[in-house]
Amino acid sequence: MHALAQILILFVAAVVLAAAARRTGAPYPVFLAIGGALLALIPGAPSLSLPPDLVLALFVAPILVDAGYDASLRDLKDNWAPLVSLVIVAVGLTTAAVAVVVHALVPGLPWAAAVALGAIVAPPDAVAATAVLRPLRPPQRILGILEGESLLNDASALLIYRLAVGAVAAGGFSIQAVGPTFLLGVLGSLVAGPVLGFIAQRLFERVQHIPTHIVLQFIGTFSVWQLAEHVGLSGVLTTVCFAMTLARLAPERIPPRIRTPTNAVWATVVFALNIFAFIFIGLQLRPILMGLEAPTREQYLVVAGAVLATVILVRIAWHMSFNAVVRWRDRRHGFNPPRPMLRPTVGSGLVISWAGMRGIVTLAAALALPEGFPGRDLIVLTAFLVVLGTLLIQGLTLKPLLRALSLHDGDPVAHEEHAARHRMLEAAFAQLPADGSAAVNLVRKNLKLHLGRPLHEDGSPFASFGAEYDDRYRAALQAARQVLFALRDAGDIGDDAFHTLENDLDWLEVSDPLRAANADATG
């Protein structure tokens, strides 16, 4: 019970740090990383560990499903060239460069272990980058590239990681021996993921009980990962394909009353997993730091600093070179995107190059190394310091960089949304009788209000209407709530009736377009 109380205290502290990050406008992983560093220095912190085989499944699988579900296939196709450049070439170059640097500084470390460290620190995490960028409304092309990279580079980096860890266990590495198996595993994952996604979706859509539906989604996520690993496929690649298949099938087959609470639960779980990852890494660092002799500790810190500099510089050097080639090609042949988007510029290249913060996947991969792995303490400490360093150096300077560059693309997403709302309204109105009753007219007004947003935006001819509507709606709902509270307190209604009516008021509030928009803007 004492250990549980300590963990709860640490979790509450992490939640407070995340809240402080939101208040300061910083990405919350920055403050979590600082908390993890402080935790490593606190005397008497509890000692916790997880089985290495469980770590990747527990931390990485849900993150991949959440990211894969939100991924846009259209944007991935539109930006395939920079994505291939970042997901394959940048990851490969970073892994190789880190391995060379670490092996030069620690000659006794096996090459396979050095490559494992390179693969661990290679994949950036888009959580911190998008937390900084989204409020500033950056060009959609930049967001699409960063989010697509974050999803796909986990697969490429962890494939290299698996090979390196396997090479250490086998005492050597041979391309001839593992090449066919590796290729078969990749191809099998590309097939198995969509098949399992289709099967899972057919099961999910039959379950209408919301808690059961949500639990089954998590069971499906972990089961797909475990099944893929058990049969020799890539758990990462299979899970990504599984999630992207669900993303295409679920919207048409899952009702809103299930989708809304499901989205809230998944957002909460991803947030909690980030917290737990930094807690666990902090708890693992303390015995490592305390067990090192002063000269060894200094050597480890030098290695970590060199690796941090390597991952930052390699990304900048590679992507800016790629960016220069793309700009030369566009000048020679013209820029002809499939739809309106920001053309590649030096500024966009700088933002993408600088948005290389590492996060939860790096932490989970380091924690997943088995006990007795060569240089495990060095690798775990280096991985954490790379995460901390990139979050502090890049995470806290990315916003000023974007503001200084002043990149704009005319907000194509807003134009697409406006055109889609117009088409949706036309289709909805076409289903209503031309000469409608009072009920039909009310339906038409409600559709126009809900789908015809944004009435509340500044500069709109309906801005004053939107402001008045919002004020009146808020006041009316608040009055109804106060009466409901008074009825319960007076004993005129019981808790069963109270919660039923409270639920009705809650749905009235969250389903209103103007109230929801204001909540999103201030939350």
Side-chain angles (χ1 to χ4, degrees):
M1 292 297 292
H2 180 63
L4 176 60
Q6 289 179 314
I7 293 299
L8 290 177
I9 292 172
L10 294 176
F11 198 86
V12 170
V15 171
V16 172
L17 285 175
R22 288 193 295 272
R23 281 188 170 273
T24 60
Y28 75 84
V30 173
F31 279 53
L32 294 183
I34 295 173
L38 294 176
L39 183 59
L41 304 176
I42 297 176
S47 178
L48 294 177
S49 61
L50 290 171
D53 291 342
L54 176 62
V55 172
L56 285 179
L58 177 63
F59 288 109
V60 177
I63 298 293
L64 290 177
V65 169
D66 183 65
Y69 197 89
D70 293 335
S72 168
L73 282 176
R74 190 195 72 175
D75 290 347
L76 293 179
K77 293 176 183 177
D78 289 349
N79 299 300
W80 70 268
L83 284 174
V84 169
S85 163
L86 292 168
V87 169
I88 297 178
V89 182
V91 166
L93 288 176
T94 302
T95 302
V98 168
V100 170
V101 168
V102 172
H103 195 268
L105 295 174
V106 189
L109 189 69
W111 273 108
V115 171
L117 173 56
I120 287 171
V121 299
D125 179 16
V127 171
T130 54
V132 172
L133 296 176
R134 278 198 180 278
L136 301 178
R137 295 184 178 273
Q140 182 61 26
R141 179 176 175 272
I142 292 178
L143 278 179
I145 290 173
L146 293 177
E147 291 176 345
E149 178 200 9
S150 178
L151 173 67
L152 299 176
N153 67 9
D154 293 341
S156 58
L158 290 179
L159 284 173
I160 300 173
Y161 167 84
R162 288 291 199 190
L163 289 175
V165 172
V168 170
F173 178 79
S174 169
I175 295 180
Q176 292 81 2
V178 303
T181 303
F182 173 78
L183 182 60
L184 184 61
V186 170
L187 295 177
S189 298
L190 295 175
V191 174
V195 171
L196 292 172
F198 178 80
I199 294 173
Q201 180 55 46
R202 296 302 299 268
L203 171 64
F204 294 160
E205 65 192 48
R206 296 175 183 272
V207 179
Q208 298 300 308
H209 182 244
I210 296 174
T212 303
H213 187 101
I214 295 173
V215 169
L216 284 177
Q217 286 191 348
F218 284 101
I219 291 174
T221 296
F222 294 120
S223 297
V224 167
W225 178 283
Q226 295 283 42
L227 177 62
E229 293 289 317
H230 182 70
V231 301
L233 303 179
S234 165
V236 177
L237 199 53
T238 305
T239 303
V240 168
C241 294
F242 168 79
M244 295 183 74
T245 301
L246 289 180
R248 303 299 295 180
L249 298 177
E252 295 184 37
R253 305 183 183 187
I254 300 299
R257 68 179 188 84
I258 293 179
R259 183 164 51 250
T260 300
T262 297
N263 291 341
V265 169
W266 274 92
T268 304
V269 167
V270 169
F271 177 59
L273 287 175
N274 274 276
I275 291 177
F276 274 121
F278 282 100
I279 288 177
F280 274 106
I281 197 77
L283 295 178
Q284 294 240 337
L285 288 177
R286 177 168 176 76
I288 292 174
L289 292 173
M290 295 301 102
L292 294 176
E293 299 288 341
T296 306
R297 188 183 305 122
E298 291 177 4
Q299 181 193 30
Y300 281 18
L301 293 177
V302 169
V303 171
V307 172
L308 172 60
T310 300
V311 299
I312 292 176
L313 293 175
V314 167
R315 180 180 178 88
I316 294 174
W318 167 250
H319 187 70
M320 291 308 295
S321 300
F322 174 82
N323 179 269
V325 172
V326 170
R327 287 186 289 111
W328 172 83
R329 182 203 62 186
D330 291 344
R331 287 195 301 269
R332 186 179 180 88
H333 302 288
F335 180 62
N336 302 300
R339 54 190 52 83
M341 65 174 66
L342 177 74
R343 69 183 303 142
T345 63
V346 173
S348 67
L350 286 173
V351 171
I352 294 172
S353 298
W354 198 242
M357 292 81 82
R358 271 58 177 177
I360 187 172
V361 173
T362 292
L363 298 181
L367 290 171
L369 289 174
E371 294 294 336
F373 190 86
R376 185 182 190 276
D377 289 351
L378 170 63
I379 293 174
V380 171
L381 177 62
T382 301
F384 175 74
L385 291 179
V386 168
V387 171
L388 177 63
T390 55
L391 286 172
L392 288 176
I393 296 171
Q394 297 175 305
L396 296 180
T397 57
L398 186 58
K399 182 184 292 186
L401 174 65
L402 184 63
R403 283 176 170 163
L405 294 172
S406 187
L407 299 174
H408 302 286
D409 61 352
D411 202 354
V413 174
H415 292 300
E416 291 177 357
E417 180 183 345
H418 178 80
R421 286 182 182 279
H422 182 71
R423 295 280 297 275
M424 292 162 65
L425 276 173
E426 286 182 341
F429 288 165
Q431 296 300 313
L432 298 175
D435 298 325
S437 61
V440 171
N441 290 333
L442 180 59
V443 170
R444 184 177 285 107
K445 289 180 179 179
N446 279 331
L447 285 172
K448 189 170 184 179
L449 178 62
H450 284 71
L451 291 179
R453 206 175 74 196
L455 298 176
H456 64 287
E457 286 187 350
D458 293 337
S460 165
F462 299 100
S464 59
F465 170 84
E468 181 183 359
Y469 178 93
D470 184 49
D471 291 340
R472 300 301 184 189
Y473 200 91
R474 182 189 298 112
L477 285 180
Q478 186 59 27
R481 286 188 189 279
Q482 292 302 321
V483 170
L484 182 62
F485 297 150
L487 291 172
R488 181 191 60 177
D489 295 343
D492 293 338
I493 60 173
D495 281 357
D496 288 340
F498 171 81
H499 288 304
T500 298
L501 295 169
E502 180 188 45
N503 186 63
D504 288 346
L505 289 175
D506 288 345
W507 278 105
L508 279 172
E509 183 164 354
V510 300
S511 64
D512 177 71
L514 302 179
R515 299 281 294 124
N518 289 340
D520 290 341
T522 59

